[in-house]
Amino acid sequence: MKNLMKLSPLMLLFVVLISACSKSPDKVLVKKDGVWTGNFTTTTSVTGQPDNVITGTEQITFKKDGTGSYVDSNNNTVNFTWTYSDAATSVTIVENGNSYTYVVTDMKAKSETWTSTASVTISGITTTITQVIKLTK
């Protein structure tokens, strides 16, 4: 029992340290200035057609209050809100009334990878849009 009492403060310290080192997006995205470089690849696949791939890079700012912004290719500032779901390991972005959910597939202190896939089939033709965003600090 005496040895167990000696370990308890060490175990508590270990648990606190592990919690403090969380790499979940809601903790990491807002650190320092909250500015990240987002490299994105959007692939549109249509049944029987070659894939259409669009790539780009944007500076994205995430704020602690769940808001953010980026400048688009037309030099317009786009504002959004964002939330992180620990249970689903996903980030949801709401921008101009549209909601986009990304599964966070890679979480590190200075990089994250988000993936979103949506498909629709109309008259036997399936269109799939996959977007991958690689964020780096």
Side-chain angles (χ1 to χ4, degrees):
M1 184 71 168
K2 193 173 184 179
N3 286 338
L4 185 58
M5 293 298 281
K6 287 181 182 179
L7 290 178
S8 293
L10 288 175
M11 290 301 281
L12 179 61
L13 178 62
F14 179 72
V15 169
V16 168
L17 285 174
I18 293 297
S19 298
C21 295
S22 172
K23 292 182 179 131
S24 66
D26 59 329
K27 306 286 189 256
V28 174
L29 292 175
V30 298
K31 286 201 181 242
K32 298 189 181 182
D33 57 6
V35 177
W36 291 74
T37 299
N39 294 302
F40 67 89
T41 303
T42 304
T43 305
T44 304
S45 302
V46 179
T47 306
Q49 301 295 318
D51 290 348
N52 180 33
V53 179
I54 299 170
T55 60
T57 301
E58 296 167 343
Q59 294 298 115
I60 306 169
T61 302
F62 296 91
K63 296 181 182 175
K64 289 180 184 180
D65 66 358
T67 63
S69 63
Y70 65 91
V71 177
D72 68 13
S73 59
N74 295 322
N75 210 28
N76 297 314
T77 299
V78 179
N79 295 305
F80 61 87
T81 60
W82 65 278
T83 55
Y84 173 68
S85 168
D86 193 32
T89 318
S90 65
V91 172
T92 300
I93 303 285
V94 178
E95 156 190 324
N96 297 324
N98 298 306
S99 180
Y100 308 95
T101 299
Y102 297 88
V103 175
V104 182
T105 56
D106 181 39
M107 289 183 270
K108 296 182 180 157
K110 294 193 177 198
S111 67
E112 294 194 5
T113 302
W114 300 359
T115 304
S116 175
T117 301
S119 293
V120 63
T121 301
I122 300 172
S123 299
I125 298 173
T126 301
T127 302
T128 302
I129 300 174
T130 302
Q131 186 172 55
V132 177
I133 301 174
K134 294 186 182 214
L135 297 168
T136 54
K137 201 60 161 141

